[in-house]
Coordinates of all heavy atoms in Angstrom, one line a residue:
D75 N 112.3 88.5 95.4 CA 112.8 89.6 96.1 C 114.0 89.1 96.9 O 114.0 88.2 97.7 CB 111.7 90.1 97.1 CG 112.1 91.5 97.7 OD1 113.0 92.1 97.2 OD2 111.4 91.9 98.7
L76 N 115.2 89.7 96.6 CA 116.4 89.3 97.2 C 116.9 90.3 98.3 O 116.5 91.5 98.2 CB 117.6 89.2 96.2 CG 117.4 88.1 95.1 CD1 118.4 88.3 94.0 CD2 117.5 86.7 95.7
P77 N 117.7 89.9 99.2 CA 118.2 90.8 100.2 C 119.1 91.8 99.5 O 119.7 91.5 98.5 CB 119.1 89.9 101.2 CG 118.7 88.5 100.9 CD 118.2 88.5 99.5
G78 N 119.2 93.0 100.1 CA 120.1 94.0 99.5 C 121.5 93.8 99.8 O 121.9 93.1 100.8
Y79 N 122.4 94.4 99.0 CA 123.9 94.3 99.4 C 124.3 95.7 99.9 O 123.6 96.7 99.7 CB 124.7 93.8 98.2 CG 124.6 94.6 96.9 CD1 125.2 95.8 96.8 CD2 123.9 94.1 95.8 CE1 125.1 96.5 95.6 CE2 123.9 94.8 94.6 CZ 124.5 96.0 94.5 OH 124.4 96.7 93.3
G80 N 125.5 95.7 100.5 CA 126.1 97.0 100.9 C 125.6 97.7 102.1 O 125.8 98.9 102.3
Y81 N 124.8 97.0 103.0 CA 124.4 97.6 104.2 C 125.5 97.5 105.3 O 125.8 96.4 105.7 CB 123.1 97.0 104.7 CG 122.5 97.5 105.9 CD1 122.5 98.9 106.1 CD2 122.0 96.7 106.9 CE1 122.0 99.4 107.3 CE2 121.5 97.2 108.1 CZ 121.5 98.6 108.3 OH 121.0 99.1 109.5
A82 N 126.0 98.6 105.7 CA 127.2 98.7 106.5 C 127.0 98.1 107.9 O 127.9 97.5 108.5 CB 127.7 100.1 106.6
K83 N 125.8 98.2 108.5 CA 125.6 97.9 109.9 C 125.2 96.4 110.0 O 124.3 96.0 110.8 CB 124.4 98.7 110.5 CG 124.9 100.1 110.7 CD 123.8 100.9 111.4 CE 124.0 102.4 111.4 NZ 122.8 103.1 111.5
R84 N 126.0 95.5 109.3 CA 125.8 94.1 109.5 C 127.1 93.5 110.0 O 128.2 94.0 109.7 CB 125.5 93.4 108.2 CG 124.0 93.5 107.8 CD 123.7 92.8 106.5 NE 122.3 92.9 106.2 CZ 121.9 93.2 104.9 NH1 122.7 93.4 104.0 NH2 120.6 93.3 104.7
S85 N 127.0 92.4 110.8 CA 128.2 91.8 111.3 C 128.8 91.1 110.1 O 128.2 90.8 109.1 CB 127.8 90.7 112.3 OG 127.1 89.7 111.7
K86 N 130.1 90.8 110.2 CA 130.9 90.2 109.2 C 130.2 88.9 108.8 O 130.1 88.6 107.6 CB 132.3 90.0 109.6 CG 133.2 89.6 108.5 CD 134.7 90.0 108.8 CE 135.6 89.5 107.7 NZ 136.2 88.2 107.9
S87 N 129.9 88.1 109.7 CA 129.3 86.7 109.4 C 128.0 86.9 108.7 O 127.6 86.1 107.8 CB 129.2 85.9 110.7 OG 128.3 86.4 111.6
E88 N 127.2 87.8 109.2 CA 125.8 88.0 108.6 C 126.0 88.5 107.1 O 125.3 88.0 106.2 CB 125.1 89.1 109.4 CG 123.6 89.1 109.1 CD 122.9 90.1 110.0 OE1 123.3 91.3 110.0 OE2 121.9 89.7 110.7
H89 N 127.0 89.4 106.9 CA 127.3 89.9 105.6 C 127.7 88.8 104.7 O 127.2 88.7 103.5 CB 128.4 90.9 105.7 CG 128.9 91.5 104.4 ND1 128.2 92.4 103.7 CD2 130.0 91.2 103.7 CE1 128.9 92.7 102.6 NE2 130.0 92.0 102.6
E90 N 128.6 87.9 105.2 CA 129.1 86.8 104.3 C 128.0 85.8 104.0 O 127.9 85.3 102.9 CB 130.2 86.1 105.0 CG 131.5 86.9 104.9 CD 132.7 86.4 105.8 OE1 132.4 85.4 106.6 OE2 133.7 87.0 105.8
K91 N 127.1 85.6 105.0 CA 126.0 84.7 104.8 C 125.1 85.2 103.6 O 124.7 84.5 102.7 CB 125.2 84.5 106.1 CG 124.2 83.4 106.1 CD 123.5 83.2 107.4 CE 122.2 84.0 107.5 NZ 121.6 84.0 108.8
L92 N 124.8 86.5 103.7 CA 123.9 87.1 102.7 C 124.6 87.1 101.3 O 123.9 86.9 100.3 CB 123.5 88.5 103.1 CG 122.5 88.6 104.2 CD1 122.2 90.1 104.6 CD2 121.2 88.0 103.7
Q93 N 125.9 87.4 101.3 CA 126.6 87.4 100.0 C 126.5 86.0 99.4 O 126.3 85.9 98.2 CB 128.1 87.7 100.3 CG 128.5 89.1 100.6 CD 128.2 90.0 99.4 OE1 127.2 90.7 99.3 NE2 129.1 89.9 98.4
R94 N 126.7 85.0 100.2 CA 126.6 83.6 99.7 C 125.2 83.3 99.1 O 125.0 82.7 98.1 CB 126.9 82.6 100.8 CG 128.4 82.2 100.9 CD 128.7 80.9 101.6 NE 128.1 80.9 103.0 CZ 128.7 81.5 104.0 NH1 129.8 82.1 103.9 NH2 128.1 81.5 105.2
M95 N 124.2 83.8 99.9 CA 122.8 83.6 99.5 C 122.5 84.2 98.1 O 122.0 83.6 97.2 CB 121.9 84.2 100.6 CG 120.4 83.8 100.5 SD 119.4 84.8 101.6 CE 120.0 84.3 103.2
I96 N 123.0 85.5 98.0 CA 122.7 86.3 96.8 C 123.5 85.7 95.6 O 122.9 85.4 94.5 CB 123.1 87.7 97.0 CG1 122.2 88.4 98.1 CG2 123.1 88.5 95.7 CD1 122.7 89.8 98.5
S97 N 124.8 85.4 95.8 CA 125.6 85.0 94.6 C 125.2 83.6 94.3 O 125.2 83.2 93.1 CB 127.1 85.1 94.9 OG 127.5 84.4 96.0
G98 N 124.9 82.7 95.3 CA 124.4 81.4 95.0 C 123.2 81.4 94.1 O 123.1 80.7 93.1
Y99 N 122.2 82.2 94.5 CA 121.0 82.4 93.7 C 121.3 82.8 92.3 O 120.9 82.2 91.3 CB 120.0 83.3 94.4 CG 118.8 83.5 93.5 CD1 117.7 82.6 93.6 CD2 118.8 84.6 92.6 CE1 116.6 82.8 92.7 CE2 117.7 84.7 91.8 CZ 116.6 83.9 91.8 OH 115.6 84.0 91.0
I100 N 122.1 83.9 92.2 CA 122.3 84.5 90.9 C 123.0 83.6 89.9 O 122.7 83.5 88.7 CB 123.0 85.9 91.0 CG1 122.0 86.9 91.7 CG2 123.5 86.4 89.7 CD1 122.7 88.2 92.1
L101 N 124.0 82.9 90.5 CA 124.9 82.1 89.6 C 124.3 80.7 89.3 O 124.5 80.1 88.2 CB 126.3 81.9 90.2 CG 127.1 83.2 90.4 CD1 128.4 82.9 91.0 CD2 127.3 83.9 89.1
R102 N 123.4 80.2 90.2 CA 123.0 78.8 90.0 C 121.5 78.7 89.7 O 121.1 77.6 89.3 CB 123.3 78.0 91.3 CG 124.8 78.3 91.7 CD 125.5 77.0 92.1 NE 124.8 76.3 93.2 CZ 125.1 76.5 94.5 NH1 125.9 77.5 94.8 NH2 124.5 75.8 95.4
R103 N 120.7 79.7 89.8 CA 119.3 79.5 89.6 C 119.0 79.5 88.0 O 119.0 80.6 87.4 CB 118.5 80.6 90.3 CG 117.0 80.4 90.2 CD 116.6 79.2 91.0 NE 115.1 79.2 91.0 CZ 114.4 78.1 91.3 NH1 115.1 77.0 91.7 NH2 113.1 78.1 91.3
Q104 N 118.8 78.3 87.5 CA 118.5 78.2 86.1 C 117.3 79.0 85.6 O 117.2 79.5 84.5 CB 118.3 76.7 85.7 CG 119.5 75.8 86.1 CD 120.7 76.0 85.1 OE1 120.5 76.5 84.0 NE2 121.9 75.5 85.5
Q105 N 116.3 79.0 86.5 CA 115.0 79.6 86.1 C 115.1 81.1 86.0 O 114.1 81.7 85.5 CB 113.9 79.2 87.1 CG 113.5 77.7 87.1 CD 114.5 76.9 88.0 OE1 115.6 77.2 88.3 NE2 114.0 75.7 88.4
M106 N 116.1 81.7 86.6 CA 116.2 83.1 86.6 C 116.5 83.7 85.2 O 117.6 83.6 84.7 CB 117.2 83.7 87.5 CG 117.1 85.2 87.7 SD 118.5 85.9 88.4 CE 119.7 85.8 87.1
T107 N 115.5 84.2 84.5 CA 115.6 84.7 83.1 C 116.2 86.1 83.0 O 116.8 86.5 82.0 CB 114.3 84.6 82.4 OG1 113.3 85.2 83.2 CG2 113.9 83.2 82.2
C108 N 115.9 86.9 84.1 CA 116.5 88.3 84.1 C 116.6 88.8 85.5 O 115.7 88.6 86.3 CB 115.6 89.2 83.2 SG 116.2 90.9 83.2
L109 N 117.7 89.4 85.8 CA 118.0 90.0 87.1 C 117.8 91.5 86.9 O 118.4 92.1 86.0 CB 119.4 89.7 87.5 CG 119.8 90.2 88.9 CD1 119.1 89.5 90.0 CD2 121.3 90.1 89.1
F110 N 116.9 92.1 87.7 CA 116.8 93.5 87.7 C 117.7 94.1 88.7 O 117.5 93.8 89.9 CB 115.3 93.9 87.9 CG 114.4 93.6 86.7 CD1 113.5 92.5 86.8 CD2 114.5 94.3 85.5 CE1 112.7 92.2 85.7 CE2 113.7 93.9 84.4 CZ 112.8 92.9 84.5
L111 N 118.6 94.9 88.3 CA 119.5 95.6 89.2 C 119.0 97.0 89.5 O 118.9 97.8 88.5 CB 120.9 95.6 88.7 CG 121.9 96.5 89.4 CD1 122.1 96.0 90.9 CD2 123.3 96.6 88.8
L112 N 118.7 97.3 90.7 CA 118.1 98.6 91.0 C 119.1 99.6 91.5 O 120.0 99.2 92.3 CB 117.0 98.4 92.2 CG 115.6 98.0 91.7 CD1 115.6 96.7 91.0 CD2 114.7 98.0 92.9
I113 N 119.0 100.8 91.0 CA 119.9 101.9 91.3 C 119.1 103.1 91.7 O 118.2 103.5 90.9 CB 120.8 102.3 90.1 CG1 121.5 101.0 89.5 CG2 121.7 103.4 90.4 CD1 122.8 100.7 90.1
D114 N 119.4 103.7 92.8 CA 118.7 104.9 93.2 C 119.1 106.1 92.2 O 120.3 106.4 92.2 CB 119.1 105.3 94.7 CG 118.3 106.5 95.2 OD1 118.0 107.4 94.4 OD2 118.0 106.5 96.4
V115 N 118.2 106.6 91.5 CA 118.5 107.5 90.4 C 119.1 108.8 90.9 O 119.8 109.5 90.2 CB 117.2 107.8 89.6 CG1 116.3 108.8 90.3 CG2 117.6 108.4 88.2
R116 N 119.0 109.1 92.2 CA 119.6 110.3 92.7 C 121.1 110.3 93.0 O 121.7 111.3 93.1 CB 118.9 110.7 94.1 CG 117.4 111.0 93.9 CD 116.8 111.0 95.3 NE 116.9 109.8 96.0 CZ 116.6 109.6 97.3 NH1 116.2 110.6 98.0 NH2 116.7 108.4 97.9
H117 N 121.6 109.1 93.1 CA 123.0 108.9 93.5 C 124.0 109.0 92.3 O 123.7 108.5 91.2 CB 123.2 107.6 94.2 CG 122.4 107.6 95.5 ND1 122.2 106.4 96.2 CD2 121.8 108.5 96.2 CE1 121.5 106.7 97.3 NE2 121.2 108.0 97.3
E118 N 125.1 109.5 92.5 CA 126.3 109.4 91.6 C 126.5 107.9 91.4 O 126.3 107.2 92.3 CB 127.5 110.0 92.2 CG 127.4 111.5 92.5 CD 128.0 112.3 91.4 OE1 129.0 111.8 90.8 OE2 127.5 113.4 91.2
P119 N 127.1 107.5 90.3 CA 127.5 106.1 90.1 C 128.4 105.7 91.3 O 129.3 106.3 91.6 CB 128.3 106.1 88.8 CG 127.7 107.3 88.1 CD 127.4 108.3 89.1
Q120 N 128.0 104.6 92.0 CA 128.7 104.1 93.2 C 129.5 102.9 92.8 O 129.1 102.0 92.0 CB 127.6 103.7 94.2 CG 126.5 104.6 94.5 CD 126.9 105.6 95.6 OE1 127.3 105.2 96.7 NE2 126.8 106.9 95.4
R121 N 130.7 102.9 93.4 CA 131.7 101.8 93.2 C 131.0 100.4 93.4 O 131.2 99.5 92.6 CB 132.9 102.0 94.1 CG 134.0 101.1 93.9 CD 134.8 101.5 92.6 NE 134.4 100.7 91.5 CZ 134.6 101.0 90.2 NH1 135.2 102.1 89.9 NH2 134.3 100.2 89.2
I122 N 130.3 100.3 94.5 CA 129.7 99.0 94.8 C 128.8 98.5 93.7 O 128.8 97.3 93.4 CB 129.0 99.1 96.2 CG1 128.7 97.6 96.7 CG2 127.8 100.0 96.2 CD1 128.2 97.6 98.1

Side-chain angles (χ1 to χ4, degrees):
D75 193 13
L76 295 170
Y79 57 74
Y81 178 44
K83 287 186 193 153
R84 275 182 183 137
S85 70
K86 190 156 177 267
S87 67
E88 198 176 54
H89 175 78
E90 283 168 359
K91 193 175 95 187
L92 285 175
Q93 286 292 103
R94 273 199 303 278
M95 194 191 293
I96 293 169
S97 60
Y99 174 85
I100 292 173
L101 297 178
R102 310 226 299 275
R103 185 66 175 166
Q104 301 284 343
Q105 292 87 336
M106 192 198 69
T107 49
C108 181
L109 181 70
F110 291 108
L111 170 60
L112 276 61
I113 306 278
D114 188 323
V115 73
R116 297 168 298 169
H117 297 165
E118 298 266 326
Q120 311 269 308
R121 189 73 264 161
I122 191 170

